[in-house]
Amino acid sequence: MERGHLLEKIEERFRARMARDAAFGLHRAEPHLSARYVITLGQCIVFAAIALTAAFAFSLAGPTMSVLTVTILALAFLANVIFRAALVWVGADLGSEAPVAANESLPRYTIIVAMYREANMVAELVKALRAIDYPVRLLDIHLVLEADDDETLLAVAALKLSAPFEVVRVPRGAPRTKPRACNYALNFARGEFVVIYDAEDRPEPDQLRKAVAQFRASAPDVACFQARLNFYNARRNWLTAIFSLDYGLWFDFLLPGLDKLGVPMPLGGTSNHLRTSVLREIDGWDPFNVTEDADLGIRLAEKGYRVSILNSTTFEEASHTLPNWTRQRSRWLKGYMQTWLVHMRNPARLIRNVGWRGFLAFQLFVGGTVISALVNPLLWAVFLASQLGLISISNAEGQAAIAAISLFTLILGNAFFTYLIMLGCYRRGWLDLVPSGLGAFVYWGLISFAGYRGLIQLFTRPFHWEKTIHGFGDEGSMQ
């Protein structure tokens, strides 16, 4: 029986069970690591206690508490910026070029691409996957489609694909998320290693060979390599340009810095190269977390595994319209909130599993990413209100202190962010993008808007996966 027909028979018989496991496998095995519930009773009690204590303190010493609150917000804001600056310094060295594995040492490699309503991307995706320099007989490529996505299914069928391509149809069910689809497809993965790509991805042709060589040269506890990500349409407009600089900072400096420090690293949404056995051991991805990649990186660290950076780049398509970008960034920040809440359900366990250094890095990087987005507009509001006389504090020194603290933090924080985001220009030789980087403070404002939008959705639509639309062309290709 041909493998395609065999897959159909397996799906026909076990579809319902595999669909249940894809959605609830992690929650059944380790409910404390699942984002199925947004917040626990214990966390509600802690947050309520903090709010009541703050309210009581304000009633007793309003002016003093106002200054203290602004100071705490400023310190939290600056802590994230300073930690990022430290990561840039630690992670600035690109290191040597990753070795490329020869044919005789290559294992079977599984590629999973989950798509939904992306019929327009199918042809280019197949072209990009066929350009990968890896023996076809050793590839195991799964195009993972929702069973009711007729348009994309028809687009794939029209190409009349043969091995190594296989189509996996994910049964309808909730939550309808990328991690649920990937969990379902993991049942059919045959490779020693598995990599996740998105429909618009264009990985460098030798990326799989580099990943194999790095896995072979690494200790068994290295469970994942994250390839660097950036965009092929950076020069389309200002938004794509600064988005590319943001990615350059993230994947060329910040994540390598976490790698060098040996602390938990949240993965990017694509080009995660994983040991298939480890992925199955930890019950795959969390289908209820809308940044399943970030959660997976932290969960691997909690299980005693390491994540490292692969010196190879996958190029993607940057969102070039503000609504599309906002939907995507809101989902990312909502997912970071989910990830922080899940892994902070038991702080003692997190410290025990990743150590004090890993615990602090988690607070500063994952928690700090959210805090910096949410606090930035608050500090602007406090400063403007103090200048317009909207903050009524009888103590003149206290009012001056609030204005000074908020202004100093905003100037220093935004200046630092502008400087850091510019580093990507020089790392990749994109000097023509320097003018776009000067608008980093505006970009940070957009991130803040997306952050509050994500915060609202965390409680109103926690598992809703807002679709990012792709397929607008690659003007200004940077390859």
Side-chain angles (χ1 to χ4, degrees), residues 31-357:
H32 60 284
L33 291 177
S34 167
R36 186 180 181 187
Y37 299 110
V38 175
I39 190 169
T40 65
L41 176 61
Q43 288 174 323
C44 285
I45 293 172
V46 170
F47 293 147
I50 292 173
L52 289 173
T53 301
F56 180 70
F58 267 102
S59 69
L60 294 179
T64 302
M65 281 301 299
S66 296
V67 175
L68 180 60
T69 299
V70 173
T71 301
I72 291 172
L73 291 176
L75 289 175
F77 184 79
L78 289 176
N80 174 255
V81 175
I82 293 170
F83 184 62
R84 290 188 176 210
L87 289 178
V88 167
W89 181 69
V90 172
D93 181 16
L94 274 175
S96 58
E97 183 68 20
V100 178
N103 283 344
E104 56 270 17
S105 62
L106 296 178
R108 186 175 298 278
Y109 219 114
T110 294
I111 297 174
I112 294 177
V113 186
M115 294 184 287
Y116 182 54
R117 295 180 180 173
E118 294 182 294
N120 61 323
M121 301 298 297
V122 170
E124 285 298 316
L125 167 66
V126 171
K127 180 181 177 181
L129 294 178
R130 282 176 170 162
I132 291 175
D133 177 21
Y134 207 85
V136 173
R137 62 183 176 82
L138 295 176
L139 284 176
D140 177 37
I141 302 176
H142 297 282
L143 305 183
V144 188
L145 312 178
E146 298 292 328
D148 59 352
D149 186 5
D150 295 334
E151 188 178 358
T152 309
L153 284 165
L154 287 172
V156 172
L159 295 179
K160 295 181 171 56
L161 299 173
S162 57
F165 292 91
E166 293 171 358
V167 177
V168 176
R169 295 170 177 80
V170 183
R172 292 186 63 177
R176 177 168 284 190
T177 57
K178 174 184 172 182
R180 174 179 175 267
C182 290
N183 280 342
Y184 189 84
L186 188 60
N187 288 291
F188 307 102
R190 295 181 293 162
E192 180 181 346
F193 305 112
V194 60
V195 61
I196 302 298
Y197 287 131
D198 286 337
E200 77 278 11
D201 284 0
R202 299 180 186 178
E204 291 181 334
D206 61 355
Q207 188 173 112
L208 269 58
R209 289 177 179 268
K210 286 183 175 180
V212 170
Q214 289 292 89
F215 273 119
R216 296 289 189 246
S218 301
D221 67 340
V222 178
C224 176
F225 282 100
Q226 169 68 65
R228 302 175 191 273
L229 305 180
N230 219 290
F231 301 115
Y232 51 69
N233 64 330
R235 293 179 174 84
R236 179 157 190 160
N237 57 28
W238 173 79
L239 185 59
T240 61
I242 199 160
F243 197 1
S244 297
L245 298 182
D246 186 12
Y247 254 39
L249 172 63
W250 194 269
F251 290 98
D252 291 348
F253 292 96
L254 300 183
L255 295 192
L258 294 174
D259 185 9
K260 294 283 182 64
L261 292 177
V263 294
M265 181 196 303
L267 297 171
T270 178
S271 302
N272 317 139
H273 297 259
L274 297 129
R275 296 185 191 272
T276 309
S277 59
V278 173
L279 190 55
R280 286 177 170 144
E281 174 193 326
I282 66 170
D283 298 293
W285 297 269
D286 184 353
F288 293 94
N289 192 314
V290 296
T291 51
E292 79 295 337
D293 45 344
D295 169 73
L296 182 62
I298 308 304
R299 197 149 39 91
L300 284 168
E302 283 222 53
K303 296 294 184 180
Y305 291 105
R306 292 171 49 211
V307 176
S308 192
I309 291 293
L310 179 66
N311 195 5
S312 175
T313 301
T314 295
F315 292 91
E316 300 186 289
E317 181 185 55
S319 296
H320 75 284
T321 66
L322 192 55
N324 206 37
W325 179 92
T326 301
R327 287 192 297 270
Q328 185 180 58
R329 186 56 65 110
S330 296
R331 175 170 58 80
W332 291 353
L333 287 168
K334 178 173 68 174
Y336 264 58
M337 296 173 201
Q338 288 179 308
T339 300
W340 188 88
L341 286 169
V342 165
H343 293 278
M344 282 298 291
R345 288 171 178 171
N346 188 335
R349 186 194 65 234
L350 182 60
I351 294 171
R352 185 169 61 251
N353 290 337
V354 302
W356 274 104
R357 188 171 64 171

Side-chain angles (χ1 to χ4, degrees), residues 430-463:
W430 303 338
L431 300 185
D432 60 306
L433 297 187
V434 168
S436 297
L438 295 175
F441 70 97
V442 177
Y443 184 68
W444 203 340
L446 296 176
I447 291 174
S448 294
F449 175 77
Y452 277 97
R453 190 171 179 273
L455 179 62
I456 292 170
Q457 284 194 1
L458 180 68
F459 295 101
T460 59
R461 307 178 76 186
F463 316 126

